[in-house]
């Protein structure tokens, strides 16, 4: 019968080695410097297993966004138009405060009220032009006398008759006729030759026809939008009437 077996040195050595290694492994698991640092990875990321290194910031992306996976970079803001491009853009017509947009330079002026004639002005009968021209001329006369200091109704009416009588209108037409264009002279000729029927008792036939011709011209210029031209001719005629009246 053999004696008791002695422990093998190899087993005892391994047992002692395992006991010695375990504390070092456990202490190494919590050591931040125990993990190896890969190229391109910072020390903090290497110490946290399962976490990738900080992403490299892309162009147009800030560093904070690069460190948050799944966060897209903000799109670049659109460039503001240059001062040269802004000055090159045409400026629309400016309207007076609370009013409609001003017409373009050279464009016909709008009618005073929204209802246009049934036909173009060139196709309207001369007496129809005289019908609207009589009203427009009356407004011009009344506005002219309202510019005077004396605003008593009786005085205003007396002053107006000096411009609206057939004789005064005939004289005004004679004063402005040298200034008329061929187109305007044609309108005057048609108005003068129009058969109006009866003639007022206080006017002769010649003066009445000239007065009708003047009213036809006024109506034509109003309906064609030539209001600047209309004001120019009437102002010239008023001035000549007043000069002749002062000389008489």
């Amino acid at each position: 019968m053999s004696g008791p077996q002695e422990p093998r040195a190899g087993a005892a050595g391994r047992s002692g080695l395992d006991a010695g290694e375990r504390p070092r492994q456990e202490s190494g698991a919590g050591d931040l410097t125990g993990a190896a640092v890969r190229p391109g990875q910072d020390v903090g990321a290497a110490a946290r297993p399962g976490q990738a290194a900080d992403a490299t910031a892309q162009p147009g992306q800030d560093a904070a966004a690069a460190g948050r996976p799944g966060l897209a970079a903000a799109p670049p803001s659109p460039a503001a138009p240059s001062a040269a491009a802004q000055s090159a853009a045409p400026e629309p017509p400016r309207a007076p405060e609370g009013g409609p947009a001003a017409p373009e330079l050279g464009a016909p002026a709008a009618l005073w009220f929204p209802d246009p004639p049934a036909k173009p002005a060139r196709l309207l009968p001369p007496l129809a032009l005289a019908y609207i021209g009589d009203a427009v001329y009356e407004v011009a006369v009344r506005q002219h006398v309202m510019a005077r200091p004396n605003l008593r109704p009786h005085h205003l009416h007396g002053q107006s008759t000096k411009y609206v009588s057939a004789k005064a209108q005939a004289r005004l037409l004679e004063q402005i006729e040298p200034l008329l264009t061929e187109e305007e002279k044609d309108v005057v000729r048609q108005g003068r030759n129009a058969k109006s029927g009866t003639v007022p008792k206080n006017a002769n036939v010649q003066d009445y026809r000239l007065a009708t011709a003047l009213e036809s011209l006024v109506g034509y210029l109003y309906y064609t939008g030539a209001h600047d031209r209309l004001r120019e001719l009437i102002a010239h005629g008023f001035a000549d009437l007043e000069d002749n009246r002062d000389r008489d």
Side-chain angles (χ1 to χ4, degrees), residues 97-224:
E97 185 176 357
E104 296 180 0
L105 185 63
L111 301 180
W112 297 348
F113 300 99
D115 300 316
K119 298 178 181 180
R122 200 69 183 88
L123 302 179
L124 290 174
L127 294 181
L129 290 174
Y131 176 76
I132 190 67
D134 177 40
V136 174
Y137 182 78
E138 180 76 22
V139 173
V141 169
R142 295 195 179 197
Q143 187 168 339
H144 184 67
V145 299
M146 286 284 291
R148 310 290 176 79
N150 192 341
L151 299 179
R152 291 178 297 175
H154 179 72
H155 178 79
L156 293 174
H157 177 73
Q159 292 297 312
S160 296
T161 56
K162 297 178 181 180
Y163 300 90
V164 298
S165 65
K167 182 178 180 180
Q169 289 180 320
R171 299 298 172 267
L172 190 149
L173 180 61
E174 291 174 352
Q175 296 295 330
I176 67 173
E177 199 161 12
L179 307 176
L180 301 182
T181 64
E182 291 301 322
E183 180 182 0
E184 293 166 349
K185 289 179 180 179
D186 187 49
V187 174
V188 168
R189 182 170 55 252
Q190 294 181 32
R192 183 174 61 242
N193 296 334
K195 303 300 181 180
S196 57
T198 60
V199 178
K201 295 180 180 180
N202 58 348
N204 61 51
V205 176
Q206 183 65 20
D207 286 345
Y208 186 75
R209 288 184 175 179
L210 291 176
T212 302
L214 173 66
E215 292 171 350
S216 297
L217 176 62
V218 172
Y220 178 77
L221 294 176
Y222 170 72
Y223 267 146
T224 54

Side-chain angles (χ1 to χ4, degrees), residues 55 58 60-74:
Q58 301 295 326
Q61 185 181 23
D62 59 7
R68 296 191 293 273
L71 182 61

